[in-house]
Amino acid sequence: MNVPSERPAVVVLVSGEGTNLQALIDAARDGALDARVAAVVSDRAEARGLERARRAGIAALHIPREGYPSREAYERALAEAIDAHAPSAVILAGFMRILGPSMVRHYAGRMLNLHPSLLPRFRGLDTHRRVLEAGDSHHGATVHFVTEDLDAGPRVLQYRLKVRPDDTVETLAARVRRGEHVILPRATSWLATGRLRLVGDEVTLDGETLREPIVIEEGS
Ligand code: GAR
């Protein structure tokens, strides 16, 4: 009998709504993600992402920061829960905690973060408001490797849109979110299957160095 080999495991960390987690779950179900979401971990009990995971029959773990005496102890617990699934990729999909150096080093080259801006523009929070205040012509989202520099690891894939004169924080958030649902499953699939690699500071895709992130334009 021909036994299909099991698809690589991905563990997703979330703190909130989990629409990007849902995009990963849907892509895995539809065959657009060459991986399976093996577990979802959240620092927040009320994270809707945990509910989405449970509904999809995926292991959903709430690991509260308050239960641990230090950040290091907390991150050891996170890593233990994650490593139990031997993931090829660990995805921060709206996980709103800054990870310490030992955790980041442990997942070097295996962890991607999704950020709602065209990095290196607007690291940190409140990106949609800051884009409008700065009067930028374009905005979007970035998937990048996680390194010790917050929101500054090597970039892989971006979604780019043109800011419209009537855009508000809410409309931009919705447009960016739609793009995130496209780029996150794609980059996750590349990493989980070994097509995407971090070699030193360099990103390679199918063995070719990416000097700049790949950009997907809204409406393309
Ligand atoms: C996404 O927009 C993601 O880019 C952002 O959180 C949102 C999570 O949405 N991440 C950050 O701001 C990380 N600094 P979701 O819970 O609906 O997937």
Side-chain angles (χ1 to χ4, degrees):
M1 201 172 78
N2 193 7
V3 180
S5 60
E6 194 164 73
R7 290 192 288 170
V10 170
V11 173
V12 185
L13 273 62
V14 299
S15 295
E17 194 54 31
T19 66
N20 284 284
L21 164 69
Q22 191 66 55
L24 291 169
I25 293 171
D26 294 348
R29 182 201 56 211
D30 300 343
L33 178 70
D34 296 325
R36 68 196 160 85
V37 180
V40 173
V41 178
S42 181
D43 55 332
R44 297 184 51 214
E46 65 278 19
R48 180 124 188 272
L50 287 174
E51 182 51 37
R52 293 178 190 272
R54 286 188 201 106
R55 244 192 292 129
I58 295 166
L61 286 110
H62 170 221
I63 307 182
R65 169 66 181 88
E66 299 71 40
Y68 298 86
S70 63
R71 180 163 90 175
E72 291 70 27
Y74 177 60
E75 292 184 356
R76 276 197 298 276
L78 283 181
E80 200 173 305
I82 295 167
D83 291 348
H85 298 275
S88 310
V90 179
I91 308 299
L92 306 182
F95 187 65
M96 302 308 277
R97 282 188 176 278
I98 296 172
L99 298 176
S102 49
M103 176 105 174
V104 168
R105 276 197 294 271
H106 181 64
Y107 293 108
R110 288 193 292 150
M111 184 181 269
L112 296 174
N113 180 47
L114 175 65
H115 183 79
S117 80
L118 291 173
L119 291 172
R121 292 288 281 163
F122 307 113
R123 293 157 67 170
L125 299 175
D126 220 359
T127 57
H128 312 307
R129 184 185 55 74
R130 289 159 67 203
V131 163
L132 289 174
E133 282 174 5
D136 281 18
S137 61
H138 289 80
H139 184 34
T142 304
V143 178
H144 65 94
F145 278 103
V146 175
T147 61
E148 286 177 47
D149 283 337
L150 183 67
D151 298 335
R155 297 164 303 156
V156 174
L157 187 56
Q158 291 187 316
Y159 180 79
R160 206 167 88 113
L161 56 81
K162 220 168 154 45
V163 177
R164 298 175 186 141
D166 58 347
D167 263 320
T168 61
V169 167
E170 290 71 30
T171 61
L172 276 185
R175 291 171 68 199
V176 166
R177 201 67 61 94
R178 274 197 295 278
E180 292 182 330
H181 298 168
V182 174
I183 61 174
L184 188 64
R186 200 167 299 185
T188 300
S189 200
W190 290 342
L191 182 63
T193 55
R195 292 180 59 193
L196 178 71
R197 288 181 198 278
L198 185 64
V199 186
D201 288 343
E202 256 184 30
V203 177
T204 66
L205 182 63
D206 296 330
E208 300 280 333
T209 300
L210 287 188
R211 301 209 183 282
E212 292 292 329
I214 295 171
V215 178
I216 297 177
E217 302 280 349
E218 184 183 59
S220 65

